[in-house]
Amino acid sequence: MVAGRCALKRRAAPLTYNVVPRMIKTLLIDEWRFLTFRPVSPAIHTNWQAYLAFGLFFTWLAGMGRYWDNPKAELWQSLGVGSLAYVFVLASIIWLLLAPLRPRHWSYRNVLLFITLTAPPAVLYAIPVERFVSADAARVANAWFLAVVATWRVALFSVFLKRAAGFGIGTVIVATLLPLAIIVIALSALNLEHVVFEIMSGIREDQRSPNDAAYSVVFLLSLLSFTVAPFLVLAYLILVYRSWRGAQQGVRPI
């Protein structure tokens, strides 16, 4: 009988060794499905710690990649600490701002998990394009990297609000655009939009020209945010009121 137990343990051992590779494979497949706007497996709920660690790793990697070739970077910037702190702050803002709309499955953990899983595309920032092309071409390439990654992340956020939070199309539009408008307006009020653009796109102050076309885009976004913000706030307040009324009547928001 003892021999039989030993045989069972020997047969069970390979299963234990296969758990980690299988989990890593599932995680990578789910990340690809997530980035291509497809539903992920239930493993993201049972093994959420592994998914969060994966997302934080790429957040840290992208954060270091923005500064790896910048001799003027501070130590905390070179170590990617700023990016790690940023995702926790951003998750807090989004979680608190949208909570009054009564989204489904809404928790700080889920919001943080979503934000960190959008980090892998940001590794594009670490590509040293300035080593292969001229300085002007590198500035354009970095600006395009920023535009692609930002658009990709906003699209992922919209899908997240639709599928995970259960919002209707109108609520998705408001819940997607309002945080963006608030961020742009806050940066404009602090006169920091050029600093953020330099950090995100890899364009340093001593590298850009006064008439850099990319800054015109940032300026136009600021004007657009100031224009649409009052309408977004009004729509948000209406949605909050409807959500509150729905809670009194036991009806989910749409």
Side-chain angles (χ1 to χ4, degrees):
M1 189 168 182
V2 174
R5 290 178 180 174
C6 292
L8 287 175
K9 289 182 179 179
R10 285 196 297 269
R11 285 196 295 269
L15 296 177
T16 302
Y17 291 125
N18 288 334
V19 168
V20 174
R22 191 161 58 241
M23 186 181 69
I24 293 176
K25 179 180 178 181
T26 301
L27 195 157
L28 293 176
I29 292 174
D30 276 346
E31 177 65 13
W32 173 251
R33 293 180 63 85
F34 170 79
L35 292 176
T36 53
F37 306 96
R38 292 179 292 171
V40 299
S41 72
I44 196 172
H45 302 294
T46 56
N47 298 311
W48 65 268
Q49 298 95 333
Y51 285 76
L52 180 60
F54 175 86
L56 289 174
F57 170 76
F58 273 94
T59 299
W60 167 74
L61 193 65
M64 289 199 305
R66 294 191 183 104
Y67 292 99
W68 74 271
D69 61 342
N70 185 357
K72 298 182 180 180
E74 301 289 341
L75 179 61
W76 64 272
Q77 294 173 320
S78 300
L79 294 178
V81 176
S83 293
L84 290 174
Y86 165 77
V87 295
F88 285 96
V89 173
L90 180 61
S92 299
I93 294 173
I94 292 176
W95 175 57
L96 292 171
L97 181 65
L98 302 187
L101 300 179
R102 297 173 59 226
R104 292 191 311 227
H105 315 299
W106 199 246
S107 67
Y108 179 77
R109 186 192 75 183
N110 288 344
V111 176
L112 177 64
L113 188 59
F114 162 78
I115 291 175
T116 58
L117 290 179
T118 64
V123 177
L124 285 172
Y125 301 145
I127 298 176
V129 291
E130 63 276 2
R131 294 193 176 185
F132 311 111
V133 296
S134 65
D136 289 339
R139 287 195 290 270
V140 173
N142 283 325
W144 273 108
F145 286 159
L146 173 62
V148 169
V149 173
T151 303
W152 197 349
R153 284 174 162 174
V154 170
L156 286 170
F157 185 48
S158 299
V159 173
F160 170 73
L161 294 177
K162 176 67 176 176
R163 292 178 181 169
F167 285 158
I169 184 63
T171 307
V172 167
I173 294 174
V174 175
T176 299
L177 296 181
L178 181 59
L180 298 177
I182 291 175
I183 291 172
V184 172
I185 290 174
L187 294 176
S188 299
L190 297 172
N191 196 30
L192 292 176
E193 73 278 0
H194 65 287
V195 176
V196 173
F197 187 83
E198 289 163 10
I199 292 174
M200 297 295 292
S201 66
I203 300 175
R204 263 79 70 182
E205 183 72 21
D206 57 352
Q207 292 180 328
R208 67 180 181 89
S209 65
N211 298 318
D212 197 324
Y215 281 86
S216 299
V217 176
V218 176
F219 177 71
L220 289 175
L221 287 176
S222 299
L223 289 180
L224 181 61
S225 297
F226 276 106
T227 302
V228 302
F231 301 100
L232 290 174
V233 171
L234 177 61
Y236 171 77
L237 294 176
I238 293 173
L239 290 172
V240 169
Y241 174 74
R242 292 178 59 186
S243 177
W244 177 79
R245 286 293 301 274
Q248 304 300 312
Q249 301 172 4
V251 179
R252 293 295 309 175
I254 58 174

